[in-house]
Amino acid sequence: MLQAAEVRERLKRALDVPAGATSDFDQNGSVPPGLEARPAGVLAAFHEDGRLLLTKRASGLRHHPGQIALPGGKVDPGDADEIAAALREAREEVGLDPAQVEVLGVLPPHRTVTGFAMTPVLAMIRGPFTPVPEAGEVEEAFTVPFAHIADPTNYRLERRLWRGGWRSYHVAPCGPYYIWGATARVLLALAKRLSA
């Protein structure tokens, strides 16, 4: 089992690896002109033993219902920045107190097909934490082992028909959880940095 100091050190080293921004269009051409880039923040929060906190979005949500996601969302007018948005959303979605979060840094933004520039915030959760999912937003909160997240060979490309054309996207299934799309792409970028 990983120790907190090792997890923290590996994540901090990953932040120092040069890498550019990513997008949902990496495998499907360039970002279309005129697509919005509304700022958003997502929290990649690791427990001290290396498990990553993820959520399964509620099936009744307008955007990405039932998908696996990092806690987070768009930057609201009251948020100072993407980090503040990620911390606020994590508190709302799963009850994670920002005082229990050690922010390590941010990864380059990821552009989504839904018009967001999503900034992943790398963080450690200090001490024990039991998520309390917000019923209207989160169907389930769970963790995925560090070894799964950190290994680039756990990610693969799949494709499907979307709006009349084939689209390729990354997936990283783990047990009963089908991690795909922007979440998988952000985690793959992190995995590549962790293995550099």
Side-chain angles (χ1 to χ4, degrees), residues 57-131:
R57 294 171 57 84
S59 57
L61 290 174
R62 193 174 122 213
H63 293 293
H64 315 293
Q67 291 185 11
I68 304 303
L70 295 160
K74 67 182 174 63
V75 176
D76 283 349
D79 295 325
D81 55 19
E82 290 84 350
I83 294 172
L87 292 171
R88 174 185 52 76
E89 288 279 352
R91 174 177 239 156
E92 291 173 8
E93 292 177 14
V94 295
L96 179 57
D97 185 342
Q100 197 175 349
V101 178
E102 176 189 356
V103 174
L104 303 176
V106 298
L107 296 174
H110 176 86
R111 291 288 301 276
T112 70
V113 295
T114 52
F116 287 97
M118 185 174 80
T119 298
V121 179
L122 280 189
M124 296 280 298
I125 299 171
R126 294 190 197 110
F129 169 66
T130 302

Side-chain angles (χ1 to χ4, degrees), residues 18-69:
T22 59
S23 89
D24 287 346
F25 301 93
D26 288 347
Q27 309 301 320
N28 302 288
S30 59
V31 176
L35 180 67
E36 287 187 86
R38 294 168 288 176
V42 293
L43 190 65
F46 290 83
H47 286 270
E48 293 176 336
D49 62 2
R51 293 174 295 123
L52 174 67
L53 175 65
L54 290 171
T55 65
K56 182 175 183 184
R57 294 171 57 84
S59 57
L61 290 174
R62 193 174 122 213
H63 293 293
H64 315 293
Q67 291 185 11
I68 304 303

